[in-house]
Amino acid sequence: MSTAIVETARAARLASVSLQSVTAEQKNEALLKIKQVLSERREEIFKANEEDKKIAEELVKQGKLSSSLFKRLDVCQGDKFDTILSGVSDIAELPDPTKKVTLATKLDEGLDLYRITVPVGVLLTIFEARPEVVVNISCLALKSGNAVILKGGKEATHTNAALARVIQDALASLPFKDIPKEAVQIVETREDINALLDLDRYIDLVVPRGSNSLVKFIQNNTRIPVLGHADGICSVYIDKDADIEKAKKIVVDSKTNYTAACNSAETLLVNEALLQNGEFSKVAKVLLDAGVTLKCEENVLNFIKSVSDISDDDKQKKLQPAVEEDFYTEFLDLIMAVKTVSNVDDAVVHINEHGSKHTDAIVTEDEKTADYFMTRVDAAGCYWNASTRFADGFRYGFGAEVGVSTNKTHARGPVGLEGLVIYKYKLFGHGQGAGDYGSGKKQYKHETIDPSNYII
């Protein structure tokens, strides 16, 4: 194993220890300094991003890079960079998630137990494209008192390196030294990752953001806990009691707002009653008009072909027969798998079998049906009459997100600051021993006490 990689991990561990004593005010000062320096060195970052995009364009032409990954690469387009900067400010304004008392119990006179939120320690984050992740995760890590080691995709090597360099320079310029620049580090090669995945003595949590194969590889090759999701197979179910105008808007937004995102809907389930009364034709038409290719089961395919309002051109070019594998597929494109179900129970069964436990939505005006769906669908997010695209840490008010977790561990769904802290128990005594308590001896009180009594 490379000595340099071990030193990287060890430096991150030492930085994480130093971060334990940093105040909330110092964390916010560090974040605002990062925002300032990022803004001042915008052109340097854009130049690096243009270099990555130039290389990526050739890879797309050669079929070696998907168009969806290319879209995620660009930080120069529109107001994207300003949005990244705003995200830093948003994180700074959030409450510090550490040093919160979540349990306070008097075991006996002079023997008080507290449960306190603390940073996880050292995060290893592995992601593909999306160079803004460097900023988002670095700031979330620092705000929650964690050190972070970043590994981005090779398609964004220059941009990732530039962003990490700027962040480290910002930290190095702070007037206090409890947040060393080693609190944010970046590595570049697959070999580096393989080595880091063995360093469970230094690294506390791995957060992968990328393809199914990336996540599965990490899960299968480390003893370090992994927080993340392999797929984003999100579904929208249109119930027989749906408001069709709502359904049209929700389905189109869920599919087309940003097709490359993991919260984009890939499957559309339709109550068969909507084919019988013809109402589904309105939903099918707006999807086709939006450029979506529909991979349909035979009855849906035949129904859409019979709709006079849909052009023959769309019927020929944008309709395809579905196969079972389509309902297990994350397309990340203007493609959607469509099938009918008899009722909400069938929709729940389908989603729990085929979905990825990410985010699923129901469109209905029936409250009981909505409650049944949202209670029984086993996903990190269940929505009623709302687009799946809302599954995002920024939209949830987290400032940003470190990723989306479909795990059933300490964090689930979009993971913000609260997902980057764990807790420890602190016991304050006056010389007591466990042997002082028991039959015929002292008894525990187990009384709830005022959390504000905790003063350290």
Side-chain angles (χ1 to χ4, degrees), residues 236 238 247-256 265 267-270 280-296 304 310 314 318-319 334-338:
V236 177
I238 308 177
K248 287 161 58 178
K249 181 177 181 180
I250 290 166
V251 173
V252 170
D253 188 86
S254 294
K255 178 70 265 183
T256 69
T267 297
L268 179 60
L269 303 177
V270 184
F280 178 62
S281 63
K282 300 173 184 177
V283 179
K285 187 176 189 309
V286 293
L287 282 169
L288 293 169
D289 288 347
V292 180
T293 294
L294 302 179
K295 307 188 81 167
C296 310
I304 298 175
I310 295 174
D314 278 350
K318 298 177 186 174
L319 293 180
L334 288 171
I335 303 170
M336 206 169 199
V338 189

Side-chain angles (χ1 to χ4, degrees), residues 185-417:
Q185 300 181 82
I186 193 163
V187 296
E188 296 184 355
T189 70
R190 177 73 172 265
E191 290 71 29
D192 291 338
I193 289 301
N194 291 340
L196 288 168
L197 291 176
D198 282 336
L199 294 176
D200 53 308
R201 55 183 165 164
Y202 295 127
I203 297 169
D204 298 291
L205 186 68
V206 184
V207 185
R209 292 180 61 164
S211 65
N212 178 289
S213 58
L214 170 70
V215 178
K216 292 296 185 186
F217 173 82
I218 292 167
Q219 290 172 333
N220 294 332
N221 287 275
T222 187
R223 295 183 298 274
I224 305 168
V226 178
L227 183 71
H229 71 285
D231 289 308
I233 303 175
C234 303
S235 299
V236 177
Y237 165 56
I238 308 177
D239 184 54
K240 65 181 178 62
D241 295 313
D243 179 317
I244 293 300
E245 290 305 308
K246 289 180 184 177
K248 287 161 58 178
K249 181 177 181 180
I250 290 166
V251 173
V252 170
D253 188 86
S254 294
K255 178 70 265 183
T256 69
N257 178 260
Y258 185 32
T259 58
C262 61
N263 57 18
S264 171
E266 307 291 10
T267 297
L268 179 60
L269 303 177
V270 184
N271 191 288
E272 59 188 18
L274 299 179
L275 269 65
Q276 294 166 4
N277 63 21
E279 288 292 274
F280 178 62
S281 63
K282 300 173 184 177
V283 179
K285 187 176 189 309
V286 293
L287 282 169
L288 293 169
D289 288 347
V292 180
T293 294
L294 302 179
K295 307 188 81 167
C296 310
E297 285 194 332
E298 184 177 3
N299 62 331
V300 181
L301 197 65
N302 292 336
F303 171 82
I304 298 175
K305 287 180 177 179
S306 72
V307 177
S308 59
D309 286 349
I310 295 174
S311 70
D312 290 339
D313 189 57
D314 278 350
K315 291 175 183 177
Q316 291 174 6
K317 295 180 179 178
K318 298 177 186 174
L319 293 180
Q320 298 176 9
V323 296
E324 177 66 10
E325 185 60 28
D326 291 328
F327 296 99
Y328 289 98
T329 300
E330 185 179 21
F331 298 109
L332 298 175
D333 204 345
L334 288 171
I335 303 170
M336 206 169 199
V338 189
K339 70 170 292 181
T340 57
V341 291
S342 300
N343 49 45
V344 66
D345 191 57
D346 285 352
V348 169
V349 169
H350 175 93
I351 292 170
N352 286 343
E353 169 64 29
H354 297 79
S356 60
K357 305 183 188 300
H358 192 297
T359 305
D360 302 288
I362 180 172
V363 185
T364 186
E365 295 302 295
D366 188 298
E367 182 177 350
K368 289 184 179 179
T369 301
D371 180 67
Y372 184 94
F373 179 93
M374 298 174 79
T375 300
R376 298 202 175 203
V377 166
D378 184 14
C382 294
Y383 297 172
W384 177 15
N385 289 344
S387 168
T388 60
R389 284 282 291 130
F390 284 107
D392 177 89
F394 179 79
R395 293 187 175 95
Y396 279 13
F398 298 166
E401 67 184 30
V402 70
V404 176
S405 171
T406 54
N407 296 353
K408 293 183 179 178
T409 54
H410 81 292
R412 197 180 188 198
V415 179
L417 292 174

Side-chain angles (χ1 to χ4, degrees), residues 53-207:
K53 288 191 292 183
K54 186 175 181 180
I55 297 170
E57 284 174 353
E58 292 301 315
L59 294 175
V60 171
K61 291 176 184 178
Q62 298 168 20
K64 296 179 180 178
L65 184 71
S66 70
S67 58
S68 62
L69 281 180
F70 182 80
K71 290 176 186 176
R72 297 178 179 183
L73 176 61
D74 194 348
V75 299
C76 306
Q77 63 177 344
D79 60 354
K80 190 169 183 179
F81 194 76
D82 289 328
T83 301
I84 294 171
L85 295 179
S86 296
V88 179
S89 297
D90 291 340
I91 294 171
E93 292 172 3
L94 293 171
D96 191 326
T98 65
K99 302 175 184 176
K100 295 184 180 299
V101 179
T102 61
L103 179 146
T105 302
K106 180 185 290 296
L107 302 187
D108 193 9
E109 292 300 328
L111 189 61
D112 295 337
L113 176 69
Y114 297 92
R115 186 171 63 207
I116 313 297
T117 58
V118 297
V120 168
V122 178
L123 313 176
L124 170 60
T125 302
I126 305 161
F127 56 97
E128 297 173 343
R130 290 191 182 183
E132 69 268 23
V133 169
V134 173
V135 179
N136 292 343
I137 294 183
S138 296
C139 292
L140 286 170
L142 293 171
K143 179 75 177 192
S144 55
N146 294 288
V148 63
I149 301 171
L150 301 148
K151 168 62 174 74
K154 60 183 179 182
E155 67 281 345
T157 297
H158 298 92
T159 314
N160 293 338
L163 289 168
R165 182 169 60 248
V166 169
I167 291 170
Q168 285 193 325
D169 289 349
L171 296 179
S173 69
L174 292 170
F176 48 88
K177 300 305 176 185
D178 288 332
I179 307 181
K181 68 176 185 178
E182 290 81 10
V184 176
Q185 300 181 82
I186 193 163
V187 296
E188 296 184 355
T189 70
R190 177 73 172 265
E191 290 71 29
D192 291 338
I193 289 301
N194 291 340
L196 288 168
L197 291 176
D198 282 336
L199 294 176
D200 53 308
R201 55 183 165 164
Y202 295 127
I203 297 169
D204 298 291
L205 186 68
V206 184
V207 185

Side-chain angles (χ1 to χ4, degrees), residues 423-438:
Y423 54 81
K424 68 165 60 173
Y425 289 96
K426 294 186 177 181
L427 184 62
F428 297 82
H430 289 82
Q432 296 93 332
D436 298 334
Y437 299 85

